[in-house]
Amino acid sequence: MPRQPIRAHLRYSIEHEWIDTSATPSRIGITAVAADALGEVVFVDLPEVGAAVQAGEVCGELESTKAVSDLYSPVTGTVVSLNEAAVDDPSVISADPYGEGWLLAVEVTGEGELLSPQEYAERFDADIVEGAEGTEDTEDTEDTTDR
């Protein structure tokens, strides 16, 4: 099985969720490792906007063609928005887990046990890649602007 990519600017839970704490509110999704294990996601159940989530506790569910998997919150806080596009078309979660497939945004009041990209990559045999939110080739256009 090929090594799955993870993003250098994110932090990770042992349950395979990622969080972008550089944004306010923080966005949460599942890793490419989880997406690959699940296969095509066909249904997602997320907490309602305004709901409290607790770090390390179940906050939703993903159903795929292979399995049903709990979604764990990597942080404590309040859900401020959901990715309605992912709810309407869950296949985007598998196709672009770090970009269009993000799941929810949380106003964070506390963090659970989070792994650095290096710790997650070593534990789950993943490759750390640079770049933002699921776009593999975001910097390629800069190289073509030379005279």
Side-chain angles (χ1 to χ4, degrees):
M1 171 163 46
R3 293 166 54 106
Q4 295 299 316
I6 63 169
R7 300 291 182 256
H9 70 285
L10 302 174
R11 295 170 65 201
Y12 301 88
S13 75
I14 196 163
E15 292 89 6
H16 304 290
E17 287 80 23
W18 59 261
I19 183 162
D20 185 352
T21 55
S22 68
T24 303
S26 297
R27 279 191 175 176
I28 296 170
I30 65 167
T31 66
V33 172
D36 183 60
L38 281 170
E40 183 182 349
V41 177
V42 295
F43 178 77
V44 60
D45 181 30
L46 299 174
E48 294 183 16
V49 171
V53 292
Q54 183 71 35
E57 299 293 320
V58 173
C59 66
E61 189 175 83
L62 300 172
E63 184 177 329
S64 75
T65 55
K66 294 182 183 178
V68 175
S69 181
D70 288 331
L71 177 68
Y72 292 85
S73 180
V75 294
T76 297
T78 303
V79 177
V80 295
S81 67
L82 303 176
N83 183 354
E84 295 295 341
V87 172
D88 292 342
D89 179 13
S91 68
V92 72
I93 298 166
S94 304
D96 188 10
Y98 301 111
E100 296 299 317
W102 67 275
L103 298 173
L104 59 148
V106 174
E107 195 66 48
V108 176
T109 59
E111 294 183 352
E113 191 173 326
L114 296 174
L115 304 174
S116 71
Q118 294 77 16
E119 291 168 325
Y120 187 89
E122 288 171 13
R123 181 171 268 180
F124 298 107
D125 197 30
D127 286 325
I128 300 170
V129 296
E130 298 297 325
E133 297 198 23
T135 306
E136 296 288 341
D137 301 318
T138 55
E139 296 180 8
D140 286 352
T141 56
E142 292 176 4
D143 297 336
T144 61
T145 58
D146 294 339
R147 291 205 256 177

